Amino acid sequence: MRKDVDKKRKEEKAILFLMISLYCRKKHAQKELCKECAELYEYACKRIDVCPFMETKTFCSACKVHCYAKEQREQIRAVMRYAGPRMIFSHPVLALKHIRTTIKEKRKKKNVS
């Protein structure tokens, strides 16, 4: 089970990096992550590394516990709002996987309620 959690952490960090990179390229006109975006990525990676729900959670946005500080949570929301819809063009497989998982999770919550 440990390998699965480690793999999930690694994948989540990779997707996060892609999304922050996409955001930074467009919003900050940087080819590499700017200082602000690099700090956000490092902060998010630390949160991923210590997440006690990694084994069962789908995405941070669906989590009951919000472990991000208010400022970083607003920053990551802005990144997700911008990069999420654009991922379909730059990384379609990842985007479709995310959509599928989100729909499954919503159905599961609907059936529990």
mmCIF file of all heavy atoms in Angstrom, residues 16-50:
data_model
loop_
_atom_site.group_PDB
_atom_site.id
_atom_site.type_symbol
_atom_site.label_atom_id
_atom_site.label_comp_id
_atom_site.label_asym_id
_atom_site.label_seq_id
_atom_site.Cartn_x
_atom_site.Cartn_y
_atom_site.Cartn_z
ATOM 1 N N LEU A 16 0.552 19.080 -10.438
ATOM 2 C CA LEU A 16 0.600 20.418 -9.846
ATOM 3 C C LEU A 16 1.669 21.269 -10.533
ATOM 4 O O LEU A 16 1.432 22.427 -10.861
ATOM 5 C CB LEU A 16 0.893 20.297 -8.347
ATOM 6 C CG LEU A 16 0.870 21.576 -7.546
ATOM 7 C CD1 LEU A 16 -0.525 22.183 -7.560
ATOM 8 C CD2 LEU A 16 1.285 21.292 -6.121
ATOM 9 N N PHE A 17 2.824 20.677 -10.790
ATOM 10 C CA PHE A 17 3.888 21.405 -11.466
ATOM 11 C C PHE A 17 3.445 21.843 -12.870
ATOM 12 O O PHE A 17 3.684 22.980 -13.278
ATOM 13 C CB PHE A 17 5.172 20.566 -11.554
ATOM 14 C CG PHE A 17 6.309 21.310 -12.179
ATOM 15 C CD1 PHE A 17 7.046 22.222 -11.437
ATOM 16 C CD2 PHE A 17 6.635 21.130 -13.507
ATOM 17 C CE1 PHE A 17 8.086 22.948 -12.017
ATOM 18 C CE2 PHE A 17 7.672 21.835 -14.096
ATOM 19 C CZ PHE A 17 8.397 22.749 -13.340
ATOM 20 N N LEU A 18 2.790 20.939 -13.590
ATOM 21 C CA LEU A 18 2.305 21.280 -14.929
ATOM 22 C C LEU A 18 1.322 22.443 -14.880
ATOM 23 O O LEU A 18 1.390 23.362 -15.699
ATOM 24 C CB LEU A 18 1.627 20.062 -15.572
ATOM 25 C CG LEU A 18 2.524 18.904 -15.953
ATOM 26 C CD1 LEU A 18 1.681 17.710 -16.389
ATOM 27 C CD2 LEU A 18 3.495 19.301 -17.050
ATOM 28 N N MET A 19 0.417 22.404 -13.910
ATOM 29 C CA MET A 19 -0.604 23.448 -13.819
ATOM 30 C C MET A 19 0.006 24.789 -13.425
ATOM 31 O O MET A 19 -0.329 25.820 -14.012
ATOM 32 C CB MET A 19 -1.695 23.025 -12.836
ATOM 33 C CG MET A 19 -2.493 21.837 -13.342
ATOM 34 S SD MET A 19 -3.817 21.371 -12.262
ATOM 35 C CE MET A 19 -5.121 22.402 -12.939
ATOM 36 N N ILE A 20 0.906 24.771 -12.463
ATOM 37 C CA ILE A 20 1.552 26.022 -12.044
ATOM 38 C C ILE A 20 2.423 26.567 -13.174
ATOM 39 O O ILE A 20 2.455 27.770 -13.409
ATOM 40 C CB ILE A 20 2.347 25.832 -10.733
ATOM 41 C CG1 ILE A 20 1.374 25.567 -9.579
ATOM 42 C CG2 ILE A 20 3.209 27.055 -10.436
ATOM 43 C CD1 ILE A 20 2.045 25.227 -8.248
ATOM 44 N N SER A 21 3.086 25.694 -13.911
ATOM 45 C CA SER A 21 3.909 26.123 -15.049
ATOM 46 C C SER A 21 3.058 26.787 -16.124
ATOM 47 O O SER A 21 3.428 27.830 -16.669
ATOM 48 C CB SER A 21 4.647 24.934 -15.660
ATOM 49 O OG SER A 21 5.562 24.393 -14.744
ATOM 50 N N LEU A 22 1.931 26.177 -16.425
ATOM 51 C CA LEU A 22 1.010 26.727 -17.415
ATOM 52 C C LEU A 22 0.529 28.117 -16.984
ATOM 53 O O LEU A 22 0.537 29.068 -17.769
ATOM 54 C CB LEU A 22 -0.179 25.776 -17.577
ATOM 55 C CG LEU A 22 -1.226 26.083 -18.616
ATOM 56 C CD1 LEU A 22 -0.623 26.037 -20.019
ATOM 57 C CD2 LEU A 22 -2.358 25.067 -18.523
ATOM 58 N N TYR A 23 0.170 28.230 -15.739
ATOM 59 C CA TYR A 23 -0.290 29.500 -15.174
ATOM 60 C C TYR A 23 0.816 30.551 -15.229
ATOM 61 O O TYR A 23 0.603 31.670 -15.678
ATOM 62 C CB TYR A 23 -0.736 29.266 -13.725
ATOM 63 C CG TYR A 23 -1.137 30.509 -12.983
ATOM 64 C CD1 TYR A 23 -2.426 31.016 -13.090
ATOM 65 C CD2 TYR A 23 -0.241 31.168 -12.140
ATOM 66 C CE1 TYR A 23 -2.810 32.155 -12.391
ATOM 67 C CE2 TYR A 23 -0.607 32.297 -11.443
ATOM 68 C CZ TYR A 23 -1.895 32.795 -11.565
ATOM 69 O OH TYR A 23 -2.262 33.911 -10.872
ATOM 70 N N CYS A 24 2.008 30.191 -14.780
ATOM 71 C CA CYS A 24 3.129 31.129 -14.701
ATOM 72 C C CYS A 24 3.550 31.610 -16.089
ATOM 73 O O CYS A 24 3.835 32.793 -16.277
ATOM 74 C CB CYS A 24 4.302 30.471 -13.971
ATOM 75 S SG CYS A 24 5.612 31.633 -13.518
ATOM 76 N N ARG A 25 3.582 30.684 -17.055
ATOM 77 C CA ARG A 25 3.952 31.078 -18.425
ATOM 78 C C ARG A 25 3.019 32.160 -18.960
ATOM 79 O O ARG A 25 3.458 33.115 -19.577
ATOM 80 C CB ARG A 25 3.902 29.859 -19.357
ATOM 81 C CG ARG A 25 5.201 29.138 -19.509
ATOM 82 C CD ARG A 25 5.210 28.180 -20.684
ATOM 83 N NE ARG A 25 4.063 27.294 -20.769
ATOM 84 C CZ ARG A 25 3.977 26.100 -20.194
ATOM 85 N NH1 ARG A 25 4.970 25.656 -19.460
ATOM 86 N NH2 ARG A 25 2.900 25.358 -20.349
ATOM 87 N N LYS A 26 1.728 32.012 -18.694
ATOM 88 C CA LYS A 26 0.758 32.959 -19.237
ATOM 89 C C LYS A 26 0.632 34.224 -18.390
ATOM 90 O O LYS A 26 0.644 35.331 -18.913
ATOM 91 C CB LYS A 26 -0.605 32.273 -19.358
ATOM 92 C CG LYS A 26 -1.628 33.098 -20.063
ATOM 93 C CD LYS A 26 -1.238 33.324 -21.518
ATOM 94 C CE LYS A 26 -2.353 34.074 -22.240
ATOM 95 N NZ LYS A 26 -2.033 34.350 -23.603
ATOM 96 N N LYS A 27 0.535 34.074 -17.081
ATOM 97 C CA LYS A 27 0.275 35.211 -16.201
ATOM 98 C C LYS A 27 1.525 36.022 -15.865
ATOM 99 O O LYS A 27 1.448 37.220 -15.656
ATOM 100 C CB LYS A 27 -0.389 34.752 -14.901
ATOM 101 C CG LYS A 27 -1.743 34.110 -15.093
ATOM 102 C CD LYS A 27 -2.756 35.123 -15.570
ATOM 103 C CE LYS A 27 -4.127 34.497 -15.695
ATOM 104 N NZ LYS A 27 -5.162 35.452 -15.985
ATOM 105 N N HIS A 28 2.671 35.354 -15.804
ATOM 106 C CA HIS A 28 3.909 36.046 -15.421
ATOM 107 C C HIS A 28 4.935 36.081 -16.550
ATOM 108 O O HIS A 28 6.067 36.517 -16.340
ATOM 109 C CB HIS A 28 4.525 35.384 -14.180
ATOM 110 C CG HIS A 28 3.582 35.365 -13.017
ATOM 111 N ND1 HIS A 28 3.503 34.292 -12.147
ATOM 112 C CD2 HIS A 28 2.674 36.264 -12.572
ATOM 113 C CE1 HIS A 28 2.580 34.543 -11.230
ATOM 114 N NE2 HIS A 28 2.069 35.725 -11.465
ATOM 115 N N ALA A 29 4.552 35.568 -17.703
ATOM 116 C CA ALA A 29 5.420 35.559 -18.892
ATOM 117 C C ALA A 29 6.803 34.976 -18.604
ATOM 118 O O ALA A 29 7.819 35.532 -19.008
ATOM 119 C CB ALA A 29 5.534 36.965 -19.483
ATOM 120 N N GLN A 30 6.809 33.849 -17.902
ATOM 121 C CA GLN A 30 8.067 33.183 -17.546
ATOM 122 C C GLN A 30 8.146 31.811 -18.208
ATOM 123 O O GLN A 30 7.143 31.097 -18.267
ATOM 124 C CB GLN A 30 8.159 32.982 -16.023
ATOM 125 C CG GLN A 30 8.087 34.246 -15.210
ATOM 126 C CD GLN A 30 9.371 35.042 -15.283
ATOM 127 O OE1 GLN A 30 10.465 34.493 -15.320
ATOM 128 N NE2 GLN A 30 9.228 36.355 -15.325
ATOM 129 N N LYS A 31 9.330 31.447 -18.683
ATOM 130 C CA LYS A 31 9.531 30.096 -19.212
ATOM 131 C C LYS A 31 9.763 29.119 -18.065
ATOM 132 O O LYS A 31 9.306 27.991 -18.091
ATOM 133 C CB LYS A 31 10.700 30.067 -20.190
ATOM 134 C CG LYS A 31 10.389 30.769 -21.490
ATOM 135 C CD LYS A 31 11.506 30.647 -22.483
ATOM 136 C CE LYS A 31 11.139 31.402 -23.749
ATOM 137 N NZ LYS A 31 12.160 31.340 -24.744
ATOM 138 N N GLU A 32 10.477 29.574 -17.074
ATOM 139 C CA GLU A 32 10.685 28.810 -15.835
ATOM 140 C C GLU A 32 9.743 29.405 -14.801
ATOM 141 O O GLU A 32 9.254 30.516 -14.958
ATOM 142 C CB GLU A 32 12.137 28.974 -15.359
ATOM 143 C CG GLU A 32 13.183 28.548 -16.368
ATOM 144 C CD GLU A 32 13.289 27.049 -16.510
ATOM 145 O OE1 GLU A 32 13.171 26.354 -15.483
ATOM 146 O OE2 GLU A 32 13.474 26.585 -17.644
ATOM 147 N N LEU A 33 9.518 28.683 -13.707
ATOM 148 C CA LEU A 33 8.662 29.228 -12.651
ATOM 149 C C LEU A 33 9.289 30.477 -12.052
ATOM 150 O O LEU A 33 10.477 30.491 -11.737
ATOM 151 C CB LEU A 33 8.445 28.206 -11.533
ATOM 152 C CG LEU A 33 7.626 26.968 -11.845
ATOM 153 C CD1 LEU A 33 7.444 26.135 -10.577
ATOM 154 C CD2 LEU A 33 6.283 27.316 -12.438
ATOM 155 N N CYS A 34 8.487 31.512 -11.899
ATOM 156 C CA CYS A 34 8.966 32.720 -11.227
ATOM 157 C C CYS A 34 9.091 32.403 -9.729
ATOM 158 O O CYS A 34 8.666 31.334 -9.273
ATOM 159 C CB CYS A 34 8.001 33.881 -11.454
ATOM 160 S SG CYS A 34 6.406 33.701 -10.645
ATOM 161 N N LYS A 35 9.655 33.317 -8.991
ATOM 162 C CA LYS A 35 9.884 33.094 -7.558
ATOM 163 C C LYS A 35 8.571 32.803 -6.827
ATOM 164 O O LYS A 35 8.481 31.862 -6.038
ATOM 165 C CB LYS A 35 10.568 34.317 -6.949
ATOM 166 C CG LYS A 35 10.942 34.149 -5.495
ATOM 167 C CD LYS A 35 11.688 35.377 -4.980
ATOM 168 C CE LYS A 35 12.163 35.126 -3.569
ATOM 169 N NZ LYS A 35 11.453 35.898 -2.584
ATOM 170 N N GLU A 36 7.545 33.587 -7.110
ATOM 171 C CA GLU A 36 6.247 33.422 -6.436
ATOM 172 C C GLU A 36 5.637 32.045 -6.734
ATOM 173 O O GLU A 36 5.149 31.359 -5.830
ATOM 174 C CB GLU A 36 5.293 34.524 -6.909
ATOM 175 C CG GLU A 36 3.922 34.465 -6.295
ATOM 176 C CD GLU A 36 2.996 35.535 -6.852
ATOM 177 O OE1 GLU A 36 3.473 36.570 -7.354
ATOM 178 O OE2 GLU A 36 1.778 35.318 -6.791
ATOM 179 N N CYS A 37 5.677 31.637 -7.991
ATOM 180 C CA CYS A 37 5.097 30.347 -8.370
ATOM 181 C C CYS A 37 5.941 29.181 -7.850
ATOM 182 O O CYS A 37 5.395 28.153 -7.452
ATOM 183 C CB CYS A 37 4.928 30.265 -9.885
ATOM 184 S SG CYS A 37 3.606 31.356 -10.496
ATOM 185 N N ALA A 38 7.257 29.346 -7.839
ATOM 186 C CA ALA A 38 8.133 28.304 -7.290
ATOM 187 C C ALA A 38 7.868 28.123 -5.801
ATOM 188 O O ALA A 38 7.829 26.984 -5.302
ATOM 189 C CB ALA A 38 9.593 28.663 -7.535
ATOM 190 N N GLU A 39 7.655 29.220 -5.092
ATOM 191 C CA GLU A 39 7.343 29.141 -3.659
ATOM 192 C C GLU A 39 5.999 28.456 -3.433
ATOM 193 O O GLU A 39 5.864 27.646 -2.515
ATOM 194 C CB GLU A 39 7.342 30.534 -3.033
ATOM 195 C CG GLU A 39 8.725 31.119 -2.881
ATOM 196 C CD GLU A 39 8.732 32.582 -2.427
ATOM 197 O OE1 GLU A 39 7.637 33.176 -2.259
ATOM 198 O OE2 GLU A 39 9.835 33.121 -2.237
ATOM 199 N N LEU A 40 5.020 28.768 -4.264
ATOM 200 C CA LEU A 40 3.714 28.114 -4.157
ATOM 201 C C LEU A 40 3.842 26.614 -4.411
ATOM 202 O O LEU A 40 3.271 25.798 -3.682
ATOM 203 C CB LEU A 40 2.714 28.732 -5.135
ATOM 204 C CG LEU A 40 1.315 28.107 -5.137
ATOM 205 C CD1 LEU A 40 0.641 28.256 -3.780
ATOM 206 C CD2 LEU A 40 0.472 28.742 -6.243
ATOM 207 N N TYR A 41 4.613 26.247 -5.423
ATOM 208 C CA TYR A 41 4.820 24.824 -5.734
ATOM 209 C C TYR A 41 5.495 24.108 -4.566
ATOM 210 O O TYR A 41 5.058 23.027 -4.162
ATOM 211 C CB TYR A 41 5.642 24.670 -7.018
ATOM 212 C CG TYR A 41 5.950 23.227 -7.327
ATOM 213 C CD1 TYR A 41 4.942 22.353 -7.715
ATOM 214 C CD2 TYR A 41 7.247 22.736 -7.208
ATOM 215 C CE1 TYR A 41 5.216 21.023 -7.978
ATOM 216 C CE2 TYR A 41 7.523 21.409 -7.477
ATOM 217 C CZ TYR A 41 6.506 20.557 -7.854
ATOM 218 O OH TYR A 41 6.781 19.234 -8.100
ATOM 219 N N GLU A 42 6.532 24.713 -4.010
ATOM 220 C CA GLU A 42 7.224 24.098 -2.870
ATOM 221 C C GLU A 42 6.307 23.967 -1.666
ATOM 222 O O GLU A 42 6.309 22.944 -0.981
ATOM 223 C CB GLU A 42 8.477 24.899 -2.516
ATOM 224 C CG GLU A 42 9.592 24.699 -3.531
ATOM 225 C CD GLU A 42 10.872 25.428 -3.142
ATOM 226 O OE1 GLU A 42 11.164 25.521 -1.939
ATOM 227 O OE2 GLU A 42 11.561 25.882 -4.064
ATOM 228 N N TYR A 43 5.507 24.983 -1.416
ATOM 229 C CA TYR A 43 4.549 24.949 -0.312
ATOM 230 C C TYR A 43 3.557 23.803 -0.516
ATOM 231 O O TYR A 43 3.296 23.007 0.397
ATOM 232 C CB TYR A 43 3.802 26.285 -0.222
ATOM 233 C CG TYR A 43 2.740 26.313 0.850
ATOM 234 C CD1 TYR A 43 3.064 26.613 2.166
ATOM 235 C CD2 TYR A 43 1.414 26.019 0.545
ATOM 236 C CE1 TYR A 43 2.083 26.622 3.156
ATOM 237 C CE2 TYR A 43 0.443 26.034 1.524
ATOM 238 C CZ TYR A 43 0.776 26.333 2.828
ATOM 239 O OH TYR A 43 -0.187 26.333 3.806
ATOM 240 N N ALA A 44 3.007 23.703 -1.717
ATOM 241 C CA ALA A 44 2.032 22.662 -2.019
ATOM 242 C C ALA A 44 2.659 21.268 -1.907
ATOM 243 O O ALA A 44 2.018 20.336 -1.402
ATOM 244 C CB ALA A 44 1.450 22.876 -3.411
ATOM 245 N N CYS A 45 3.892 21.130 -2.345
ATOM 246 C CA CYS A 45 4.585 19.838 -2.234
ATOM 247 C C CYS A 45 4.758 19.427 -0.776
ATOM 248 O O CYS A 45 4.591 18.251 -0.433
ATOM 249 C CB CYS A 45 5.937 19.883 -2.939
ATOM 250 S SG CYS A 45 5.796 19.823 -4.725
ATOM 251 N N LYS A 46 5.066 20.383 0.078
ATOM 252 C CA LYS A 46 5.189 20.080 1.510
ATOM 253 C C LYS A 46 3.853 19.610 2.061
ATOM 254 O O LYS A 46 3.793 18.690 2.872
ATOM 255 C CB LYS A 46 5.685 21.306 2.276
ATOM 256 C CG LYS A 46 7.135 21.613 2.039
ATOM 257 C CD LYS A 46 7.561 22.874 2.760
ATOM 258 C CE LYS A 46 8.991 23.242 2.382
ATOM 259 N NZ LYS A 46 9.386 24.548 2.915
ATOM 260 N N ARG A 47 2.768 20.234 1.624
ATOM 261 C CA ARG A 47 1.419 19.840 2.072
ATOM 262 C C ARG A 47 1.110 18.429 1.582
ATOM 263 O O ARG A 47 0.556 17.622 2.304
ATOM 264 C CB ARG A 47 0.353 20.815 1.554
ATOM 265 C CG ARG A 47 0.561 22.267 1.935
ATOM 266 C CD ARG A 47 0.235 22.655 3.358
ATOM 267 N NE ARG A 47 0.873 21.762 4.287
ATOM 268 C CZ ARG A 47 0.753 21.780 5.612
ATOM 269 N NH1 ARG A 47 0.008 22.639 6.200
ATOM 270 N NH2 ARG A 47 1.361 20.933 6.377
ATOM 271 N N ILE A 48 1.470 18.131 0.347
ATOM 272 C CA ILE A 48 1.247 16.793 -0.218
ATOM 273 C C ILE A 48 2.046 15.758 0.560
ATOM 274 O O ILE A 48 1.551 14.671 0.865
ATOM 275 C CB ILE A 48 1.609 16.764 -1.722
ATOM 276 C CG1 ILE A 48 0.602 17.598 -2.513
ATOM 277 C CG2 ILE A 48 1.665 15.338 -2.249
ATOM 278 C CD1 ILE A 48 1.013 17.887 -3.954
ATOM 279 N N ASP A 49 3.290 16.092 0.893
ATOM 280 C CA ASP A 49 4.163 15.155 1.613
ATOM 281 C C ASP A 49 3.624 14.748 2.981
ATOM 282 O O ASP A 49 3.862 13.638 3.432
ATOM 283 C CB ASP A 49 5.567 15.749 1.788
ATOM 284 C CG ASP A 49 6.358 15.745 0.496
ATOM 285 O OD1 ASP A 49 6.024 14.952 -0.419
ATOM 286 O OD2 ASP A 49 7.315 16.544 0.393
ATOM 287 N N VAL A 50 2.901 15.645 3.634
ATOM 288 C CA VAL A 50 2.409 15.336 4.987
ATOM 289 C C VAL A 50 0.907 15.052 5.034
ATOM 290 O O VAL A 50 0.350 14.885 6.121
ATOM 291 C CB VAL A 50 2.755 16.471 5.987
ATOM 292 C CG1 VAL A 50 4.257 16.621 6.118
ATOM 293 C CG2 VAL A 50 2.108 17.785 5.585
#
